[in-house]
Amino acid sequence: MTKLTAAITAVGKYLPEYILTNKELETMVETNDEWITSRTGIKERRILKEKNAGTSFMAIKAAEDLLQKSGVNPKEIDLVIVATATPDMPVASTAVFTASKIGATNAFAYDLQAACSSFLYGMSTAASYIESGRYKKVLLIGADKMSSIIDYTDRATCIIFGDGAGAVLFEPNNEGLGYQDQYLRSDGVGREFLKIDAGGSILPPSEETVKNKQHFVHQEGKTVFKFAVSNMADVSEKILERNNLTKDDVNWLAAHQANKRIIEATANRIGLENEKVMMNIHKYGNTTSATLPLLLSDYEKELKKGDNLIFAAFGGGFTWGAIYLKWAYNA
Ligand code: UT7
């Protein structure tokens, strides 16, 4: 009997209209286009400006884009997972609201949070449900409204992040395509270096925490950078080794878009040519949970059935890992 594999069968995306350029950031904080471009590779990012619109606004639009392109009936979806570090609210799941709004009335839904690795970990969860035979259609959405937790007077973070959402559908495949292997890691040593201090159960929000700007993301960029470079490269190398893949077997690297230099370091470690490295950080910055599905949407037309894709991510926590997946369709 052939093993049931979990394939990605459709993708969708949403990006807010407003473009925050490096030039505009120059008017907000002490920075310049040359510094941002050379240190991060980012030229512009999208910001969600709609009033009273949170992460679900973008998650719904990305899911609707997927449904419209694929013709999938939302009533057939079994499970909706929203990978996000910026849920609409701390209690009342963003995924549940999203599922109802897109008409996935037969699905159950929940959020999954692992900072910038949320989508990568979500792929593992979605694929496992399909491989076990329990469900036939799992919708995984990666969405973040990073502008809601960024201090736009802090040049160390405000130049990096952007808003956006991407969605993928996982379905069973009996040709051996789709999810092949994963190597996922985490280490609590990272908690100090990338976090939001207040608003959780340790330090509930108060006038004091707001005054001290403790409800914004704080990161020790240099430390996170060092961990990200070595760990993302390590897991990518490991997943190739474990699956007896050489660099020539790999068609694409889809790496979390946090910093162009981190992505290039990962590609260099596994000896991959530039043409095989998916890149859109210049357009969107770091959209946290949305980077990987946005790459898939942007590159969908170039992906061929049978292509070997390596996914890699690194994020707060620390959380990180790599996934090997065989692409299952020609767009
Ligand atoms: O996605 C989740 C995981 N997150 C990441 O992977 C982010 C990892 N970190 C990074 O990408 C980089 O560390 C940053 C892009 C955040 C910073 O780049 P860096 O090359 O590590 O810069 P740095 O923090 O070491 O700062 C170098 C210099 C400093 O000045 P001095 O002390 O050398 O005079 C900073 O004050 O650049 C200065 N600087 C800036 N200058 C202009 C810091 N931010 C800026 C800025 N514009 N926006």
Side-chain angles (χ1 to χ4, degrees):
M1 202 175 87
T2 35
K3 187 177 166 266
L4 202 62
T5 48
I8 292 178
T9 56
V11 300
K13 72 171 173 183
Y14 174 75
L15 289 150
E17 272 172 33
Y18 190 84
I19 298 174
L20 174 59
T21 61
N22 289 352
K23 277 270 163 261
E24 187 177 350
L25 279 166
E26 285 179 8
T27 68
M28 296 159 66
V29 288
E30 185 69 41
T31 192
N32 58 76
D33 176 46
E34 200 281 319
W35 191 96
I36 302 173
T37 308
S38 62
R39 297 287 177 125
T40 69
I42 303 167
K43 291 303 252 182
E44 55 191 46
R45 63 292 289 139
R46 302 300 180 98
I47 303 292
L48 184 66
K49 294 275 193 183
E50 271 79 356
K51 280 226 158 41
N52 299 321
T55 292
S56 66
F57 179 90
M58 297 185 291
I60 292 163
K61 290 205 179 294
E64 285 172 347
D65 181 44
L66 180 151
L67 293 172
Q68 190 259 322
K69 276 167 58 188
S70 64
V72 167
N73 178 353
K75 290 196 167 35
E76 289 174 12
I77 296 172
D78 301 296
L79 165 63
V80 177
I81 302 172
V82 172
T84 185
T86 54
D88 283 1
M89 27 182 119
V91 174
S93 159
T94 303
V96 171
F97 182 72
T98 301
S100 295
K101 286 289 177 190
I102 62 170
T105 46
N106 295 312
F108 73 109
Y110 58 85
D111 297 349
L112 191 155
Q113 208 277 69
C116 289
S117 303
S118 300
F119 189 85
L120 190 87
Y121 284 14
M123 287 175 70
S124 169
T125 309
S128 301
Y129 275 122
I130 299 289
E131 288 162 356
S132 71
R134 190 177 292 273
Y135 299 121
K136 297 223 159 24
K137 284 186 170 50
V138 178
L139 180 65
L140 173 64
I141 305 168
D144 267 303
K145 184 184 172 185
M146 293 306 292
S147 60
S148 65
I149 52 169
I150 292 300
D151 174 5
Y152 283 93
T153 65
D154 174 12
R155 70 177 183 174
T157 50
C158 75
I159 56 132
I160 301 170
F161 294 99
D163 302 337
V168 305
L169 185 70
F170 276 93
E171 290 186 275
N173 182 283
N174 46 26
E175 295 175 276
L177 300 170
Y179 212 85
Q180 304 294 314
D181 193 18
Q182 64 177 40
Y183 185 63
L184 305 184
R185 313 289 304 138
S186 63
D187 187 345
V189 72
R191 179 153 142 152
E192 287 312 305
F193 307 117
L194 176 48
K195 61 178 171 174
I196 298 178
D197 275 311
S201 55
I202 294 181
L203 192 58
S206 66
E207 267 182 50
E208 185 80 5
T209 60
V210 173
K211 200 176 84 209
N212 294 338
K213 299 186 170 188
Q214 288 168 295
H215 55 296
F216 290 129
V217 171
H218 174 79
Q219 83 161 341
E220 283 184 32
K222 234 185 190 23
T223 310
V224 178
F225 185 89
K226 278 188 198 148
F227 275 96
V229 162
S230 62
N231 284 320
M232 233 167 78
D234 282 354
V235 289
S236 304
E237 200 172 33
K238 180 102 176 171
I239 204 111
L240 259 64
E241 263 171 39
R242 263 175 34 162
N243 290 280
N244 298 318
L245 297 171
T246 68
K247 72 179 183 70
D248 298 328
D249 299 319
V250 177
N251 300 96
W252 298 98
L253 173 68
H256 173 53
Q257 307 282 293
N259 186 315
K260 190 167 186 242
R261 289 183 291 147
I262 302 174
I263 303 162
E264 284 170 350
T266 301
N268 284 342
R269 174 80 79 84
I270 56 175
L272 221 57
E273 301 83 353
N274 285 344
E275 313 83 75
K276 294 181 172 180
V277 182
M278 295 185 185
M279 196 77 81
N280 59 14
I281 190 168
H282 53 290
K283 295 191 286 184
Y284 314 138
N286 182 349
T287 55
T288 302
S289 311
T291 58
L292 298 180
L294 283 175
L295 284 174
L296 293 181
S297 269
D298 282 4
Y299 281 84
E300 186 187 19
K301 289 201 170 63
E302 294 180 52
L303 301 177
K304 306 248 166 353
K305 187 172 172 179
D307 275 359
N308 288 321
L309 273 64
I310 301 296
F311 292 84
F314 185 89
F318 293 128
T319 53
W320 74 100
I323 284 171
Y324 165 33
L325 176 140
K326 276 186 179 290
W327 197 247
Y329 65 95
N330 297 315

